[in-house]
Amino acid sequence: MAPHAEEAVSIDYYTRPAEVTKPVTRRVSSTQQSATELVKPRPRLSDRYEPGRVEPLSDEDDVYDHLRPYFPDVHWEALKETPYEDKGLLGDPRFRDLLDAADEVFDYVPKIGTEITGIKLSQLTDAQKNDLARLIATRGVVFFRNQDDFDVEAQRELGRYFGTLHRHATTSMLQKAGLEDVHVIYTTDQSLDQRALFTPTYLWHSDVTYEVQPPSYTSLKVLNGPPRGGGSDTLWCSQYAIYDILSRPMQKYLESLTALHSADEQAAGSRAAGRPVRRDPVTTEHPLIRVNPVTGWKSVFFNPGFVTKIVGVPKAESDAIIRYLTELIATTQEAHVRFQWGKHDVAIWDNRCTNHTATYGFLPHRRHAVRVTPTAEKPYFSREGRSQEEEYNKKWDLPQTNKNGARRSNYND
């Protein structure tokens, strides 16, 4: 009900903090009665905003003291091949068990990256886990916000459902016995700035591809990180999309090749830093184009961080292929998705069909995260594999991509 014209009305409004808060009178009716308006100060945004600077959050990392990095000087035997059954093959093509329990699902870009809200990863049923695996294999990476109850044990349980957990030979892990399969990321304002040590393109990688059975559905949870605008984003690149960018003759050529993936440089870097190498480094030959067993799509299987040589071709040709694929991965924007982390956010990606890279420049903020990495099948190529782009174009009645670069065209802005 609207107030009577002759009644006094209390109105809330904001004024600048520099002004003195005081009662203000205003005529509100012909009877000359006054209404007292309550004046509240509002902080000026211009006083709080500093371009390029976000104040660090209060130090809450003591809660995660037990999850800080640890570099034990131990030695493990070489990895042996293990049986692998891809849970994504059990998932529903429409992801019904997973998505019907969610509040919202949306893609970041057409080629890669999906976010789901309203799902608790710690409470997934087996059917939902199967759907999740299928969705990750399809979309490359799937994001979940604010998974505060998804602790390390729950993260390991989900990882073990997907496959045997990988123990990293050089990076930090947790001190508690039995948690050697958890990889710890921990960067503070006291950490060494590594931007000068690597080229930006070199930092694109897929995890531990030098293993005989590289990983599949890898999860990373950020425990603490920079607030919004503070940096430390992660980017992923779809290697399905990189394959589809190639001309048909180049696709055929690369399908005939293999590449050497080596752990030697990573091991040497660990020793140079005075840290142990817990398992002897290996070099493994993998197909340069592989097929994902869940989707049946072909993808480039290459990353600048671990591929050292293309097998069976002259060095100049090998170097040219490595430079070319590195450029495509690092610069093909439509194949990229960029994720801005928040506290307790989780990303799960398929290492078989994506590359990813972290970003620097987030000082003075701390970044603390834990990663769990299940192993997958030995990479393989099959001529029965298909192109993701060609399959989607046919499904949605879109024209097939014209890859003739000699045509004339305008460009997007």
Side-chain angles (χ1 to χ4, degrees), residues 124-191:
L124 294 178
T125 65
D126 286 355
Q128 290 172 329
K129 293 174 186 176
N130 297 338
D131 282 1
L132 175 58
R134 191 178 188 99
L135 180 62
I136 296 166
T138 303
R139 293 295 301 158
V141 58
V142 179
F143 307 114
F144 299 86
R145 299 284 186 182
N146 195 28
Q147 299 291 311
D148 54 347
D149 62 343
F150 189 59
D151 60 17
V152 167
E153 288 300 341
Q155 191 174 356
R156 294 178 70 237
E157 180 183 350
L158 180 61
R160 282 195 301 267
Y161 183 81
F162 293 141
T164 302
L165 299 187
H166 179 265
R167 297 188 302 175
H168 204 290
T170 61
T171 58
S172 58
M173 59 188 194
L174 297 179
Q175 189 165 1
K176 184 178 178 181
L179 299 181
E180 296 87 358
D181 46 31
V182 179
H183 167 54
V184 183
I185 297 99
Y186 190 77
T187 305
T188 72
D189 57 359
Q190 303 301 312
S191 299

Side-chain angles (χ1 to χ4, degrees), residues 77-146:
E77 296 299 319
L79 292 177
K80 297 179 180 180
E81 290 188 38
T82 58
Y84 177 72
E85 296 180 2
D86 200 313
K87 298 297 186 180
L89 294 170
L90 304 176
D92 182 83
R94 299 294 302 172
F95 323 107
R96 289 180 175 87
D97 285 294
L98 179 67
L99 297 187
D100 288 350
D103 293 336
E104 185 182 15
V105 57
F106 59 91
D107 293 342
Y108 277 53
V109 293
K111 296 290 186 182
I112 183 173
T114 297
E115 183 170 322
I116 299 177
T117 64
I119 289 290
K120 286 292 187 180
L121 291 172
S122 61
Q123 300 172 15
L124 294 178
T125 65
D126 286 355
Q128 290 172 329
K129 293 174 186 176
N130 297 338
D131 282 1
L132 175 58
R134 191 178 188 99
L135 180 62
I136 296 166
T138 303
R139 293 295 301 158
V141 58
V142 179
F143 307 114
F144 299 86
R145 299 284 186 182
N146 195 28

Side-chain angles (χ1 to χ4, degrees), residues 22-43:
K22 60 182 180 179
V24 179
T25 59
R26 177 182 297 170
R27 298 185 186 279
V28 296
S29 72
S30 58
T31 60
Q32 304 297 309
Q33 290 184 339
S34 298
T36 300
E37 297 177 345
L38 183 62
V39 180
K40 295 181 179 179
R42 182 182 67 175

Side-chain angles (χ1 to χ4, degrees), residues 218-251:
T218 299
S219 64
L220 180 68
K221 176 179 177 178
V222 166
L223 306 172
N224 274 318
R228 185 174 64 177
S232 85
D233 302 353
T234 302
L235 289 82
W236 282 263
C237 176
S238 168
Q239 298 217 73
Y240 295 141
I242 298 302
Y243 173 83
D244 285 332
I245 287 170
L246 302 171
S247 67
R248 190 63 185 143
M250 181 60 78
Q251 289 174 343

Side-chain angles (χ1 to χ4, degrees), residues 197-326:
L197 303 180
F198 307 102
T199 64
T201 56
Y202 177 85
L203 291 172
W204 282 97
H205 67 283
S206 180
D207 297 320
V208 298
T209 57
Y210 45 73
E211 303 290 16
V212 174
Q213 291 177 263
S216 57
Y217 308 113
T218 299
S219 64
L220 180 68
K221 176 179 177 178
V222 166
L223 306 172
N224 274 318
R228 185 174 64 177
S232 85
D233 302 353
T234 302
L235 289 82
W236 282 263
C237 176
S238 168
Q239 298 217 73
Y240 295 141
I242 298 302
Y243 173 83
D244 285 332
I245 287 170
L246 302 171
S247 67
R248 190 63 185 143
M250 181 60 78
Q251 289 174 343
K252 287 291 186 183
Y253 174 51
L254 297 187
E255 287 171 6
S256 71
L257 299 177
T258 59
L260 296 182
H261 298 241
S262 177
D264 288 342
E265 186 174 358
Q266 191 173 68
S270 186
R271 292 190 182 103
R275 293 171 177 168
V277 176
R278 297 181 287 270
R279 188 167 50 241
D280 293 339
V282 297
T283 298
T284 306
E285 185 175 342
H286 290 309
L288 195 51
I289 306 297
R290 72 183 293 179
V291 173
N292 190 294
V294 177
T295 62
W297 294 332
K298 298 176 183 178
S299 71
V300 172
F301 189 56
F302 169 87
N303 69 85
F306 297 125
V307 171
T308 57
K309 294 178 182 178
I310 308 301
V311 178
V313 301
K315 184 178 187 306
E317 192 170 328
S318 171
D319 290 349
I321 293 171
I322 289 174
R323 284 194 303 269
Y324 176 52
L325 293 178
T326 297

